[in-house]
Coordinates of all heavy atoms in Angstrom, one line a residue:
M12 N 5.4 -5.7 10.0 CA 4.4 -6.8 9.8 C 4.3 -7.2 8.3 O 4.3 -6.3 7.5 CB 3.0 -6.3 10.3 CG 2.0 -7.4 10.1 SD 0.3 -6.9 10.5 CE 0.5 -6.7 12.3
I13 N 4.3 -8.4 8.1 CA 4.2 -8.9 6.7 C 2.8 -9.5 6.5 O 2.0 -9.7 7.5 CB 5.2 -10.0 6.3 CG1 5.2 -11.2 7.3 CG2 6.6 -9.4 6.4 CD1 6.1 -12.3 6.9
K14 N 2.4 -9.7 5.3 CA 1.0 -10.1 4.9 C 0.6 -11.4 5.7 O -0.5 -11.4 6.2 CB 0.9 -10.3 3.4 CG -0.6 -10.6 3.0 CD -0.8 -10.4 1.5 CE -0.1 -11.5 0.7 NZ -0.5 -11.5 -0.7
S15 N 1.5 -12.3 5.8 CA 1.1 -13.6 6.5 C 0.8 -13.4 7.9 O 0.0 -14.0 8.5 CB 2.2 -14.6 6.3 OG 3.4 -14.2 6.8
E16 N 1.6 -12.4 8.6 CA 1.3 -12.1 10.0 C 0.0 -11.4 10.1 O -0.8 -11.7 11.1 CB 2.4 -11.2 10.5 CG 3.8 -11.9 10.6 CD 4.9 -10.9 11.0 OE1 4.8 -9.7 10.8 OE2 5.9 -11.4 11.5
L17 N -0.4 -10.5 9.2 CA -1.7 -9.8 9.2 C -2.8 -10.9 9.1 O -3.8 -10.8 9.9 CB -1.8 -8.8 8.1 CG -3.1 -8.1 7.9 CD1 -3.5 -7.3 9.1 CD2 -3.1 -7.3 6.7
I18 N -2.6 -11.8 8.2 CA -3.7 -12.8 8.0 C -3.8 -13.7 9.3 O -4.9 -14.0 9.7 CB -3.3 -13.7 6.8 CG1 -3.4 -12.9 5.5 CG2 -4.2 -15.0 6.7 CD1 -2.8 -13.6 4.3
Q19 N -2.7 -14.0 9.9 CA -2.8 -14.8 11.1 C -3.5 -14.1 12.2 O -4.3 -14.6 13.0 CB -1.4 -15.2 11.5 CG -1.3 -16.2 12.7 CD -2.0 -17.5 12.3 OE1 -1.8 -18.1 11.3 NE2 -3.0 -17.9 13.2
I20 N -3.2 -12.8 12.4 CA -3.8 -12.0 13.5 C -5.3 -11.9 13.2 O -6.1 -12.1 14.2 CB -3.2 -10.6 13.5 CG1 -1.7 -10.7 14.1 CG2 -4.0 -9.6 14.4 CD1 -0.9 -9.4 13.9
I21 N -5.7 -11.6 12.0 CA -7.2 -11.6 11.7 C -7.8 -12.9 11.9 O -8.9 -13.0 12.5 CB -7.4 -11.1 10.3 CG1 -6.9 -9.6 10.1 CG2 -8.9 -11.2 9.9 CD1 -6.9 -9.1 8.7
A22 N -7.2 -14.0 11.5 CA -7.7 -15.3 11.7 C -7.8 -15.7 13.2 O -8.8 -16.3 13.6 CB -6.9 -16.4 11.0
D23 N -6.9 -15.3 14.0 CA -6.9 -15.5 15.5 C -8.0 -14.7 16.1 O -8.7 -15.2 17.1 CB -5.6 -15.1 16.1 CG -4.4 -16.1 15.7 OD1 -4.7 -17.2 15.2 OD2 -3.3 -15.7 15.9
Q24 N -8.3 -13.5 15.7 CA -9.3 -12.7 16.2 C -10.7 -13.1 15.8 O -11.7 -12.7 16.3 CB -9.1 -11.2 15.9 CG -7.9 -10.6 16.6 CD -7.6 -9.2 16.2 OE1 -8.3 -8.6 15.4 NE2 -6.7 -8.6 16.9
N25 N -10.8 -13.9 14.7 CA -12.1 -14.3 14.2 C -12.1 -15.8 14.0 O -12.0 -16.3 12.9 CB -12.3 -13.6 12.8 CG -12.5 -12.1 12.9 OD1 -13.5 -11.6 13.3 ND2 -11.4 -11.4 12.7
P26 N -12.2 -16.6 15.1 CA -12.1 -18.0 15.0 C -13.2 -18.7 14.2 O -13.1 -19.8 13.8 CB -12.1 -18.5 16.5 CG -12.7 -17.3 17.2 CD -12.4 -16.1 16.4
H27 N -14.3 -18.0 14.0 CA -15.4 -18.5 13.2 C -15.1 -18.5 11.7 O -15.8 -19.2 10.9 CB -16.7 -17.8 13.5 CG -16.6 -16.3 13.1 ND1 -15.9 -15.4 13.9 CD2 -17.1 -15.6 12.0 CE1 -16.0 -14.2 13.3 NE2 -16.7 -14.3 12.2
L28 N -14.0 -17.9 11.3 CA -13.6 -17.9 9.9 C -12.4 -18.8 9.6 O -11.5 -19.0 10.4 CB -13.1 -16.5 9.4 CG -14.2 -15.4 9.5 CD1 -13.5 -14.0 9.2 CD2 -15.3 -15.6 8.5
Y29 N -12.5 -19.5 8.5 CA -11.4 -20.4 8.1 C -10.2 -19.5 7.7 O -10.3 -18.4 7.2 CB -11.8 -21.3 6.9 CG -12.8 -22.3 7.2 CD1 -14.0 -22.3 6.7 CD2 -12.5 -23.4 8.1 CE1 -15.0 -23.2 7.0 CE2 -13.4 -24.3 8.4 CZ -14.7 -24.3 7.8 OH -15.6 -25.2 8.1
H30 N -9.0 -20.0 8.0 CA -7.8 -19.3 7.6 C -7.7 -19.0 6.1 O -7.3 -17.9 5.7 CB -6.5 -20.2 8.0 CG -5.3 -19.4 8.0 ND1 -4.5 -19.4 6.8 CD2 -4.6 -18.7 8.9 CE1 -3.4 -18.7 7.1 NE2 -3.4 -18.3 8.3
R31 N -8.1 -20.0 5.3 CA -8.1 -19.7 3.8 C -9.0 -18.6 3.4 O -8.8 -17.9 2.5 CB -8.4 -21.0 3.1 CG -9.8 -21.6 3.2 CD -10.0 -22.8 2.4 NE -11.3 -23.3 2.6 CZ -11.7 -24.2 3.5 NH1 -10.8 -24.7 4.3 NH2 -12.9 -24.6 3.6
D32 N -10.2 -18.5 4.1 CA -11.1 -17.4 3.8 C -10.5 -16.0 4.2 O -10.7 -15.1 3.5 CB -12.4 -17.6 4.5 CG -13.2 -18.8 4.0 OD1 -12.9 -19.2 2.8 OD2 -14.0 -19.4 4.7
V33 N -9.9 -16.0 5.3 CA -9.2 -14.7 5.8 C -8.1 -14.3 4.8 O -8.0 -13.2 4.3 CB -8.6 -14.8 7.2 CG1 -7.8 -13.6 7.5 CG2 -9.7 -15.1 8.2
E34 N -7.4 -15.3 4.3 CA -6.3 -15.1 3.3 C -6.9 -14.6 2.0 O -6.4 -13.6 1.4 CB -5.5 -16.4 3.1 CG -4.3 -16.2 2.2 CD -3.5 -17.4 2.1 OE1 -3.8 -18.4 2.7 OE2 -2.5 -17.4 1.3
R35 N -8.0 -15.1 1.6 CA -8.7 -14.7 0.4 C -9.2 -13.3 0.5 O -9.1 -12.5 -0.4 CB -9.9 -15.7 0.0 CG -10.4 -15.5 -1.3 CD -11.5 -16.5 -1.7 NE -11.0 -17.8 -1.5 CZ -11.7 -18.8 -0.9 NH1 -13.0 -18.6 -0.5 NH2 -11.2 -20.0 -0.8
I36 N -9.8 -12.9 1.7 CA -10.3 -11.6 1.9 C -9.2 -10.6 1.9 O -9.3 -9.5 1.2 CB -11.0 -11.5 3.3 CG1 -12.3 -12.3 3.3 CG2 -11.3 -10.1 3.7 CD1 -12.9 -12.6 4.6
V37 N -8.1 -10.8 2.6 CA -6.9 -9.9 2.6 C -6.4 -9.7 1.1 O -6.1 -8.6 0.7 CB -5.8 -10.4 3.5 CG1 -4.6 -9.6 3.4 CG2 -6.3 -10.3 5.0
N38 N -6.2 -10.8 0.4 CA -5.7 -10.8 -0.9 C -6.6 -10.0 -1.9 O -6.2 -9.2 -2.7 CB -5.4 -12.2 -1.5 CG -4.2 -12.8 -0.9 OD1 -3.3 -12.2 -0.4 ND2 -4.2 -14.2 -0.9
T39 N -7.9 -10.2 -1.7 CA -8.9 -9.4 -2.5 C -8.8 -7.9 -2.2 O -8.8 -7.1 -3.2 CB -10.3 -10.0 -2.2 OG1 -10.4 -11.3 -2.5 CG2 -11.4 -9.2 -3.0
I40 N -8.7 -7.6 -1.0 CA -8.6 -6.1 -0.6 C -7.4 -5.5 -1.3 O -7.4 -4.5 -1.9 CB -8.6 -5.9 0.9 CG1 -10.0 -6.3 1.5 CG2 -8.2 -4.5 1.3 CD1 -10.1 -6.3 3.0
L41 N -6.3 -6.2 -1.1 CA -5.0 -5.7 -1.6 C -5.0 -5.6 -3.2 O -4.6 -4.6 -3.8 CB -3.8 -6.5 -1.2 CG -3.6 -6.5 0.3 CD1 -2.4 -7.4 0.7 CD2 -3.3 -5.1 0.8
E42 N -5.6 -6.6 -3.8 CA -5.7 -6.6 -5.3 C -6.6 -5.5 -5.8 O -6.3 -4.8 -6.8 CB -6.3 -7.9 -5.8 CG -5.3 -9.1 -5.8 CD -4.1 -8.8 -6.7 OE1 -4.3 -8.2 -7.8 OE2 -3.0 -9.1 -6.3
E43 N -7.7 -5.2 -5.0 CA -8.6 -4.1 -5.4 C -7.9 -2.7 -5.3 O -8.0 -1.8 -6.1 CB -9.9 -4.1 -4.6 CG -10.8 -5.2 -5.0 CD -11.3 -5.2 -6.4 OE1 -11.6 -4.0 -6.9 OE2 -11.3 -6.2 -7.1
V44 N -7.1 -2.6 -4.2 CA -6.3 -1.3 -4.0 C -5.3 -1.2 -5.2 O -5.2 -0.1 -5.8 CB -5.6 -1.3 -2.7 CG1 -4.6 -0.2 -2.6 CG2 -6.6 -1.2 -1.5
I45 N -4.6 -2.3 -5.5 CA -3.6 -2.2 -6.6 C -4.3 -1.9 -7.9 O -3.8 -1.1 -8.7 CB -2.9 -3.6 -6.7 CG1 -2.0 -3.7 -5.5 CG2 -2.1 -3.7 -8.0 CD1 -1.4 -5.1 -5.3
E46 N -5.4 -2.5 -8.2 CA -6.2 -2.3 -9.5 C -6.6 -0.9 -9.6 O -6.5 -0.2 -10.6 CB -7.4 -3.3 -9.6 CG -8.1 -3.2 -10.9 CD -7.3 -3.6 -12.1 OE1 -6.4 -4.4 -11.9 OE2 -7.5 -3.0 -13.2
A47 N -7.2 -0.3 -8.5 CA -7.6 1.1 -8.5 C -6.4 2.0 -8.7 O -6.6 3.0 -9.5 CB -8.3 1.4 -7.1
L48 N -5.3 1.8 -8.1 CA -4.1 2.6 -8.4 C -3.6 2.5 -9.8 O -3.2 3.5 -10.4 CB -3.0 2.3 -7.4 CG -3.3 2.7 -5.9 CD1 -2.1 2.2 -5.0 CD2 -3.5 4.2 -5.7
A49 N -3.7 1.3 -10.3 CA -3.2 1.0 -11.7 C -4.1 1.8 -12.7 O -3.7 2.2 -13.7 CB -3.3 -0.4 -12.0
Q50 N -5.4 2.0 -12.3 CA -6.3 2.8 -13.2 C -6.2 4.3 -12.9 O -6.9 5.1 -13.6 CB -7.7 2.4 -12.9 CG -8.0 0.9 -13.4 CD -9.4 0.5 -13.0 OE1 -10.2 1.3 -12.5 NE2 -9.7 -0.8 -13.3
G51 N -5.3 4.7 -12.0 CA -5.1 6.1 -11.7 C -6.0 6.7 -10.7 O -6.1 7.9 -10.5
N52 N -6.8 5.8 -10.0 CA -7.8 6.3 -9.0 C -7.1 6.4 -7.6 O -6.0 5.9 -7.4 CB -8.9 5.3 -8.9 CG -9.7 5.2 -10.1 OD1 -9.9 6.2 -10.8 ND2 -10.2 4.0 -10.4
R53 N -7.8 7.1 -6.7 CA -7.3 7.3 -5.4 C -8.1 6.4 -4.5 O -9.3 6.2 -4.6 CB -7.6 8.8 -5.0 CG -7.1 9.2 -3.6 CD -7.3 10.7 -3.5 NE -6.8 11.2 -2.3 CZ -7.5 11.4 -1.2 NH1 -8.8 11.1 -1.2 NH2 -7.0 11.8 -0.1
V54 N -7.4 5.8 -3.5 CA -8.0 4.9 -2.5 C -7.9 5.5 -1.1 O -6.8 5.7 -0.7 CB -7.4 3.5 -2.6 CG1 -8.0 2.6 -1.5 CG2 -7.5 2.9 -4.0
E55 N -9.0 5.7 -0.5 CA -9.0 6.3 0.8 C -9.6 5.4 1.8 O -10.7 4.9 1.7 CB -9.8 7.6 0.8 CG -9.8 8.3 2.2 CD -10.6 9.7 2.1 OE1 -10.7 10.2 1.0 OE2 -11.0 10.1 3.2
L56 N -8.9 5.1 2.9 CA -9.3 4.3 4.0 C -9.5 5.3 5.2 O -8.4 5.6 5.8 CB -8.4 3.2 4.3 CG -8.1 2.2 3.1 CD1 -7.0 1.3 3.5 CD2 -9.3 1.5 2.7
R57 N -10.7 5.6 5.5 CA -10.9 6.7 6.6 C -10.2 6.3 7.9 O -10.3 5.2 8.3 CB -12.4 6.8 6.8 CG -13.2 7.4 5.7 CD -12.9 8.9 5.6 NE -13.3 9.5 4.4 CZ -14.3 10.4 4.3 NH1 -14.8 10.8 5.3 NH2 -14.6 10.8 3.1
G58 N -9.5 7.3 8.4 CA -8.8 7.1 9.7 C -7.4 6.5 9.5 O -6.6 6.5 10.4
F59 N -7.2 5.8 8.4 CA -5.9 5.2 8.1 C -5.0 6.0 7.2 O -3.9 6.4 7.5 CB -6.1 3.8 7.5 CG -4.8 3.0 7.3 CD1 -4.0 2.6 8.3 CD2 -4.4 2.8 6.0 CE1 -2.8 1.9 8.1 CE2 -3.2 2.1 5.7 CZ -2.4 1.7 6.8
G60 N -5.6 6.3 6.0 CA -4.8 7.2 5.1 C -5.4 7.0 3.6 O -6.4 6.3 3.4
A61 N -4.7 7.6 2.7 CA -5.1 7.6 1.3 C -3.9 7.2 0.4 O -2.8 7.7 0.6 CB -5.6 9.0 0.9
F62 N -4.2 6.3 -0.5 CA -3.2 5.9 -1.5 C -3.5 6.7 -2.8 O -4.7 6.8 -3.2 CB -3.2 4.4 -1.8 CG -2.9 3.6 -0.6 CD1 -3.9 3.1 0.3 CD2 -1.6 3.2 -0.3 CE1 -3.6 2.3 1.4 CE2 -1.3 2.4 0.7 CZ -2.3 2.0 1.6
S63 N -2.5 7.2 -3.5 CA -2.7 7.8 -4.8 C -1.5 7.5 -5.6 O -0.5 6.9 -5.2 CB -2.9 9.3 -4.6 OG -1.8 9.9 -4.0
V64 N -1.6 8.0 -6.9 CA -0.5 7.8 -7.8 C 0.1 9.2 -8.2 O -0.7 10.1 -8.5 CB -0.9 7.1 -9.1 CG1 0.2 7.0 -10.1 CG2 -1.5 5.7 -8.7
K65 N 1.4 9.3 -8.1 CA 2.0 10.6 -8.5 C 2.9 10.3 -9.7 O 3.5 9.2 -9.8 CB 2.9 11.2 -7.4 CG 2.0 11.7 -6.3 CD 2.8 12.6 -5.4 CE 1.9 13.3 -4.4 NZ 2.5 14.4 -3.7
E66 N 3.0 11.3 -10.6 CA 3.9 11.1 -11.8 C 5.2 11.9 -11.6 O 5.2 13.0 -11.2 CB 3.1 11.6 -13.0 CG 1.9 10.8 -13.3 CD 1.4 11.0 -14.7 OE1 2.2 11.4 -15.6 OE2 0.2 10.8 -14.9
R67 N 6.2 11.2 -11.9 CA 7.6 11.8 -11.8 C 8.0 12.1 -13.3 O 7.9 11.2 -14.1 CB 8.6 10.9 -11.1 CG 8.2 10.7 -9.7 CD 9.5 10.4 -8.9 NE 9.1 10.3 -7.5 CZ 9.7 9.5 -6.7 NH1 10.7 8.7 -7.1 NH2 9.4 9.5 -5.4
D68 N 8.5 13.3 -13.5 CA 8.9 13.7 -14.8 C 10.3 13.0 -15.2 O 11.0 12.6 -14.3 CB 9.1 15.2 -14.9 CG 7.8 16.0 -14.8 OD1 6.8 15.4 -15.1 OD2 7.9 17.1 -14.3
A69 N 10.5 12.9 -16.5 CA 11.8 12.4 -16.9 C 12.9 13.4 -16.4 O 12.7 14.6 -16.3 CB 11.9 12.3 -18.4
R70 N 14.1 12.9 -16.2 CA 15.2 13.7 -15.7 C 16.5 13.1 -16.0 O 16.6 11.9 -16.4 CB 15.1 13.9 -14.2 CG 15.2 12.6 -13.4 CD 15.0 12.9 -11.9 NE 15.0 11.6 -11.2 CZ 16.0 10.9 -10.8 NH1 17.2 11.4 -11.0 NH2 15.9 9.8 -10.1
T71 N 17.6 13.8 -15.8 CA 18.9 13.3 -16.0 C 19.5 13.0 -14.6 O 19.5 13.9 -13.8 CB 19.8 14.4 -16.7 OG1 19.2 14.7 -18.0 CG2 21.2 13.8 -16.9
G72 N 19.8 11.8 -14.4 CA 20.4 11.3 -13.2 C 21.9 11.1 -13.3 O 22.5 11.3 -14.4
R73 N 22.5 10.6 -12.2 CA 23.9 10.3 -12.2 C 24.1 8.8 -11.8 O 23.5 8.4 -10.8 CB 24.7 11.2 -11.3 CG 24.7 12.6 -11.7 CD 25.9 12.9 -12.5 NE 25.9 14.3 -13.0 CZ 26.2 14.6 -14.3 NH1 26.7 13.7 -15.1 NH2 26.1 15.8 -14.7
N74 N 25.0 8.1 -12.4 CA 25.4 6.8 -12.0 C 26.3 7.0 -10.8 O 27.4 7.6 -11.0 CB 26.1 6.0 -13.1 CG 26.5 4.7 -12.7 OD1 26.8 4.4 -11.6 ND2 26.6 3.8 -13.7
P75 N 26.0 6.5 -9.6 CA 26.8 6.8 -8.4 C 28.2 6.2 -8.5 O 29.1 6.7 -7.9 CB 26.0 6.3 -7.3 CG 25.0 5.3 -7.9 CD 24.8 5.8 -9.3
R76 N 28.3 5.1 -9.3 CA 29.6 4.4 -9.4 C 30.6 5.2 -10.3 O 31.8 5.4 -10.0 CB 29.4 3.0 -9.8 CG 30.7 2.2 -9.8 CD 30.4 0.7 -10.1 NE 29.8 0.1 -8.9 CZ 29.5 -1.1 -8.9 NH1 29.6 -1.9 -9.9 NH2 28.9 -1.6 -7.8
T77 N 30.1 5.6 -11.5 CA 30.9 6.2 -12.5 C 30.8 7.7 -12.6 O 31.6 8.4 -13.1 CB 30.7 5.6 -13.9 OG1 29.3 5.9 -14.2 CG2 30.9 4.1 -13.8
G78 N 29.7 8.2 -12.1 CA 29.4 9.7 -12.2 C 28.9 10.1 -13.6 O 28.6 11.2 -13.8
A79 N 28.7 9.1 -14.4 CA 28.1 9.4 -15.8 C 26.7 9.8 -15.7 O 25.9 9.3 -14.9 CB 28.3 8.1 -16.7
A80 N 26.3 10.6 -16.7 CA 24.9 11.1 -16.8 C 24.0 9.9 -17.3 O 24.5 9.2 -18.2 CB 24.8 12.3 -17.7
V81 N 22.9 9.7 -16.7 CA 21.9 8.7 -17.1 C 20.6 9.3 -17.3 O 20.1 10.0 -16.4 CB 21.9 7.5 -16.1 CG1 20.9 6.5 -16.5 CG2 23.3 7.0 -15.8
E82 N 19.9 9.0 -18.4 CA 18.5 9.5 -18.6 C 17.6 8.6 -17.8 O 17.5 7.4 -18.0 CB 18.2 9.5 -20.1 CG 18.9 10.5 -20.9 CD 18.7 11.9 -20.4 OE1 17.5 12.3 -20.1 OE2 19.6 12.7 -20.3
V83 N 16.7 9.2 -16.9 CA 15.7 8.5 -16.2 C 14.4 8.8 -16.8 O 14.0 10.0 -16.9 CB 15.8 8.9 -14.7 CG1 14.7 8.1 -13.9 CG2 17.1 8.6 -14.1
Q84 N 13.6 7.8 -17.2 CA 12.4 8.0 -17.9 C 11.3 8.5 -16.9 O 11.4 8.2 -15.7 CB 11.9 6.7 -18.5 CG 12.8 6.2 -19.6 CD 12.3 4.9 -20.2 OE1 11.3 4.3 -19.7 NE2 12.9 4.6 -21.3
A85 N 10.3 9.1 -17.4 CA 9.1 9.5 -16.6 C 8.4 8.2 -16.0 O 8.5 7.2 -16.7 CB 8.1 10.3 -17.4
K86 N 7.9 8.3 -14.8 CA 7.2 7.1 -14.3 C 6.2 7.5 -13.3 O 6.2 8.7 -12.8 CB 8.3 6.2 -13.6 CG 9.1 6.8 -12.5 CD 10.1 5.9 -12.0 CE 11.1 6.6 -11.2 NZ 12.2 5.7 -10.8
K87 N 5.3 6.6 -13.0 CA 4.3 6.7 -11.9 C 4.7 6.0 -10.7 O 5.3 4.9 -10.8 CB 3.0 6.2 -12.4 CG 2.4 6.9 -13.6 CD 1.1 6.3 -14.1 CE 0.6 7.1 -15.3 NZ -0.6 6.5 -15.9
V88 N 4.5 6.6 -9.5 CA 4.9 6.0 -8.3 C 3.7 6.1 -7.3 O 3.0 7.0 -7.3 CB 6.2 6.7 -7.7 CG1 7.4 6.4 -8.5 CG2 5.9 8.1 -7.5
P89 N 3.6 5.0 -6.4 CA 2.5 5.1 -5.4 C 2.9 6.1 -4.3 O 4.1 6.3 -4.0 CB 2.5 3.7 -4.9 CG 3.8 3.1 -5.2 CD 4.3 3.8 -6.4
F90 N 1.9 6.7 -3.8 CA 2.1 7.7 -2.7 C 1.0 7.4 -1.6 O -0.1 7.1 -1.9 CB 1.9 9.1 -3.3 CG 2.0 10.2 -2.3 CD1 3.3 10.6 -1.8 CD2 0.9 10.9 -1.8 CE1 3.4 11.6 -0.8 CE2 1.0 11.9 -0.8 CZ 2.3 12.2 -0.3
F91 N 1.5 7.5 -0.4 CA 0.6 7.3 0.8 C 0.6 8.5 1.7 O 1.7 9.0 2.1 CB 1.0 6.0 1.5 CG 0.1 5.8 2.8 CD1 -1.1 5.3 2.6 CD2 0.6 6.0 4.0 CE1 -1.9 5.1 3.7 CE2 -0.1 5.8 5.1 CZ -1.4 5.3 5.0
K92 N -0.6 9.0 2.0 CA -0.7 10.1 2.9 C -1.5 9.6 4.1 O -2.6 9.1 4.0 CB -1.4 11.3 2.3 CG -1.5 12.5 3.2 CD -2.2 13.7 2.6 CE -2.2 14.8 3.6 NZ -2.9 15.9 3.0
T93 N -0.9 9.7 5.3 CA -1.6 9.2 6.5 C -2.8 10.0 6.9 O -2.9 11.2 6.6 CB -0.6 9.2 7.8 OG1 -0.2 10.6 8.0 CG2 0.5 8.3 7.6
G94 N -3.8 9.3 7.5 CA -5.0 9.9 7.9 C -4.8 10.6 9.3 O -3.9 10.3 10.0
K95 N -5.8 11.4 9.6 CA -5.7 12.2 10.9 C -5.6 11.2 12.1 O -4.8 11.4 13.0 CB -6.9 13.1 11.0 CG -6.9 13.9 12.3 CD -8.1 14.9 12.3 CE -8.1 15.7 13.6 NZ -9.3 16.5 13.6
E96 N -6.5 10.2 12.1 CA -6.5 9.3 13.3 C -5.2 8.5 13.4 O -4.7 8.4 14.5 CB -7.7 8.3 13.1 CG -7.8 7.4 14.3 CD -9.0 6.4 14.1 OE1 -10.0 6.8 13.4 OE2 -8.9 5.3 14.7
L97 N -4.6 8.1 12.3 CA -3.4 7.3 12.4 C -2.2 8.2 12.9 O -1.5 7.9 13.7 CB -3.0 6.8 11.0 CG -1.7 6.1 10.9 CD1 -1.5 4.9 11.8 CD2 -1.4 5.6 9.4
R98 N -2.2 9.5 12.4 CA -1.2 10.4 12.8 C -1.3 10.7 14.3 O -0.3 10.8 15.0 CB -1.3 11.7 12.0 CG -0.3 12.0 11.0 CD -0.3 13.4 10.4 NE -1.6 14.0 10.3 CZ -2.4 13.9 9.2 NH1 -2.0 13.2 8.2 NH2 -3.6 14.5 9.2
E99 N -2.5 10.9 14.8 CA -2.7 11.2 16.2 C -2.3 10.0 17.1 O -1.7 10.2 18.1 CB -4.2 11.5 16.5 CG -4.6 12.9 15.9 CD -6.1 13.2 16.0 OE1 -6.9 12.3 16.4 OE2 -6.5 14.3 15.7
R100 N -2.6 8.8 16.7 CA -2.2 7.6 17.5 C -0.7 7.4 17.5 O -0.1 7.0 18.5 CB -2.9 6.4 16.9 CG -4.4 6.4 17.3 CD -5.1 5.2 16.8 NE -4.7 4.0 17.6 CZ -5.2 2.8 17.4 NH1 -6.2 2.6 16.6 NH2 -4.8 1.8 18.1
L101 N 0.0 7.7 16.4 CA 1.4 7.6 16.3 C 2.1 8.6 17.2 O 3.2 8.4 17.8 CB 1.9 7.8 14.9 CG 1.6 6.6 13.9 CD1 2.1 7.0 12.5 CD2 2.3 5.3 14.4
N102 N 1.5 9.8 17.3 CA 2.1 10.9 18.1 C 1.6 11.1 19.5 O 1.9 12.0 20.1 CB 1.9 12.2 17.3 CG 2.7 12.2 16.0 OD1 3.9 11.9 16.0 ND2 2.1 12.5 14.9
A103 N 0.8 10.1 19.9 CA 0.2 10.2 21.3 C 1.2 9.9 22.3 O 2.1 9.2 22.2 CB -1.0 9.2 21.4

């Protein structure tokens, strides 16, 4: 599912809301999640899961084409851990 499909489903289920308002709501939620992660905070959506940021150390990698050693810098990556309810529904 892509963002536009999510917006359309929510708009269809809530005919009293304008499509542009639903789009603004979805965009605001996603922006707040991104902003919280950028600040290093954890975002938990009960029953769905939790987003957090993990740090990866610098390391020496390999160029798959040439086999040459390449230095990979330390970086932060997003991490998602599923919630109990989501896991149970997926495995039902």
Side-chain angles (χ1 to χ4, degrees):
M12 175 183 295
I13 58 176
K14 185 165 70 169
S15 60
E16 292 172 338
L17 175 63
I18 292 169
Q19 188 61 52
I20 290 170
I21 294 171
D23 292 344
Q24 291 178 354
N25 297 280
H27 60 283
L28 296 174
Y29 290 113
H30 191 273
R31 67 178 180 269
D32 292 337
V33 173
E34 186 173 357
R35 191 175 308 136
I36 291 167
V37 170
N38 287 335
T39 301
I40 290 169
L41 295 177
E42 284 298 320
E43 288 300 318
V44 170
I45 292 168
E46 185 63 32
L48 292 175
Q50 294 175 6
N52 297 326
R53 182 174 185 265
V54 177
E55 182 177 336
L56 303 172
R57 292 286 167 115
F59 182 70
F62 297 91
S63 60
V64 177
K65 290 198 173 194
E66 295 196 27
R67 294 207 177 145
D68 295 331
R70 62 184 174 84
T71 302
R73 295 263 175 225
N74 181 331
R76 186 173 286 179
T77 64
V81 178
E82 290 300 317
V83 178
Q84 296 180 351
K86 60 185 165 185
K87 295 178 182 178
V88 294
F90 178 76
F91 177 74
K92 182 176 179 184
T93 58
K95 181 179 177 183
E96 183 180 331
L97 175 59
R98 254 191 324 270
E99 287 173 353
R100 288 183 67 177
L101 288 175
N102 293 309

